[in-house]
Amino acid sequence: MTQQGEHNLTQAEADAIQATELGHASRDLYEAIERGEYPQWELNVQIMSDDEHPELDFDPLDDTKIWPEEQFPYLPVGMMTLNRNITDHHNENEQIAFGTGVLVDGIDFSDDKMLVGRTFSYSDTQRYRVGPNYLQLPVNRPREDVQVSTNQGGGAMSYGVDNRGADPHINFEPSSVAGLQEADESYREYRPFVSGHVMKAPIERQNNYAQAGRRFREMTDAERDDLVHNLTTLLAQCDKHIQEKMVWHFSQCDASYGRRVAEGLGIADNI
C-alpha cells in the first residue's frame, strides 16, 4: 500500500503529459529519491481460515475477486523504502529476478491454482532470462549477513560459492564424512485439508458482477464520469454487437452503469 497517497490522471491529463514525456512517472520517482523524499510501500496480508467459507457469495480462491477488507482486515507485515537510485542500470535493474516461488520459512502457498501454476513458471523464466545462477547475483541474493547454504554450485554465470561446511568438495546430504545437514524445521508446515474429488471444473460461486457494481457505486461522481468517458471513447471503435454485449455486462454490475455507457455510445434505445 503506497504511503504517498493515490493520485490519478484523467485521460486528457495523461495525453497532455505523454505528448512530450513518455517516462514521466519514472522521472518523478528518480527525482523524488534524489531529493531525499524516499517513497514507501507497506506490505499487508489478509488472512482467512482454511475451510469452505459458505458465508461468502464468491469462491475465496477466485482470482477475479477481492476479499472484503471489513471481513478480512489488512495486517501490516513490513515497509519497503526506496532510499537510493541505482548506479548501474543493467546490474541493479535489468537483472532483478522476482518470483513467487522464492519464499522464506513460515510462508507457504494457498490452494489458488493460478498462484501454484505460476510458481513454477516464474523461476524458470528467470533462469532462462538471466541465467541458472541468478539468485547468486547481488541484486537477487539475501542480505550480506545471511549465510546461504543450498549445496548448489557451478554452472553458467556462477557468481559465488555457497557455504559447504567443513569440506567444500562435498555438496550433497547426508554425508558421513562432512558437508552440511538439513536444518530442523522451526516453523509449522502448512498442511491443507483436502476431501472429495480433485477435478477440473468451473467455479460454483462466481458472482461475477457484485464486486464490480459495488466498486462503481463507491466511486465519486468525477471518477464515474471518467470511467464512462474512457469506456465510451474506446468502445466507439468497436462493432455495434460488441458495444451492446459490453453494455449488457455493465448493466449486470449496476443499471446506471450500463445506461450511462449506452447513452454515451448512442445505443440506449437498442438496449
Side-chain angles (χ1 to χ4, degrees):
M1 299 181 67
T2 175
Q3 303 301 294
Q4 290 68 242
E6 185 175 309
H7 308 278
N8 298 292
L9 299 173
T10 64
Q11 188 62 54
E13 292 170 335
D15 290 344
I17 293 174
Q18 292 187 334
T20 58
E21 186 178 5
L22 290 176
H24 64 95
S26 297
R27 178 179 177 181
D28 177 69
L29 176 64
Y30 180 89
E31 292 179 347
I33 296 174
E34 287 295 292
R35 292 193 303 268
E37 299 174 6
Y38 302 138
Q40 293 183 311
W41 289 263
E42 185 178 63
L43 172 64
N44 287 259
V45 298
Q46 291 175 282
I47 296 179
M48 182 185 298
S49 59
D50 186 15
D51 46 62
E52 291 297 321
H53 289 279
E55 76 280 5
L56 298 176
D57 61 1
F58 63 95
D59 190 316
L61 295 180
D62 185 344
D63 288 276
T64 66
K65 307 299 186 296
I66 62 172
W67 293 358
E69 182 182 354
E70 61 272 15
Q71 294 176 263
F72 307 98
Y74 292 131
L75 304 176
V77 175
M79 187 76 71
M80 179 179 73
T81 303
L82 301 184
N83 58 12
R84 71 173 181 86
N85 281 309
I86 61 175
T87 57
D88 188 296
H89 180 73
H90 180 77
N91 289 334
E92 296 180 271
N93 191 6
E94 291 294 324
Q95 293 192 128
I96 287 178
F98 298 106
T100 57
V102 183
L103 299 174
V104 298
D105 292 347
I107 296 179
D108 212 326
F109 303 107
S110 72
D111 293 326
D112 177 353
K113 301 304 180 185
M114 178 74 75
L115 173 61
V116 173
R118 298 182 81 168
T119 295
F120 293 97
S121 62
Y122 266 81
S123 293
D124 279 350
T125 298
Q126 309 298 16
R127 293 185 187 99
Y128 175 80
R129 183 180 69 87
V130 182
N133 289 297
Y134 72 95
L135 288 175
Q136 293 184 9
L137 299 177
V139 71
N140 296 320
R141 61 162 293 143
R143 301 191 316 261
E144 292 296 332
D145 59 335
V146 175
Q147 187 179 72
V148 180
S149 304
T150 65
N151 268 337
Q152 298 178 10
M157 299 181 68
S158 180
Y159 185 86
V161 178
D162 286 354
N163 170 50
R164 296 287 175 75
D167 190 336
H169 302 293
I170 297 178
N171 64 347
F172 56 89
E173 186 274 328
S175 169
S176 59
V177 179
L180 302 172
Q181 292 185 350
E182 187 174 351
D184 295 331
E185 292 186 354
S186 58
Y187 60 94
R188 188 177 66 179
E189 179 185 6
Y190 171 58
R191 297 179 179 180
F193 174 78
V194 178
S195 177
H197 298 287
V198 177
M199 58 185 172
K200 180 180 179 181
I203 295 174
E204 294 182 357
R205 288 178 292 163
Q206 295 189 11
N207 199 10
N208 290 323
Y209 300 102
Q211 290 192 359
R214 187 181 310 117
R215 178 70 184 93
F216 179 80
R217 291 185 291 274
E218 291 173 349
M219 288 179 171
T220 65
D221 290 340
E223 289 173 335
R224 281 192 288 266
D225 291 344
D226 285 338
L227 175 62
V228 171
H229 172 73
N230 292 340
L231 288 171
T232 54
T233 300
L234 295 174
L235 285 171
Q237 307 171 47
C238 299
D239 294 337
K240 190 173 182 179
H241 73 278
I242 296 177
Q243 296 175 351
E244 293 175 346
K245 185 64 175 179
M246 292 306 299
V247 167
W248 181 87
H249 283 298
F250 300 146
S251 298
Q252 302 308 302
C253 301
D254 185 274
S256 64
Y257 187 10
R259 175 182 52 78
R260 291 186 60 180
V261 175
E263 291 173 348
L265 292 170
I267 61 172
D269 294 338
N270 302 331
I271 305 302

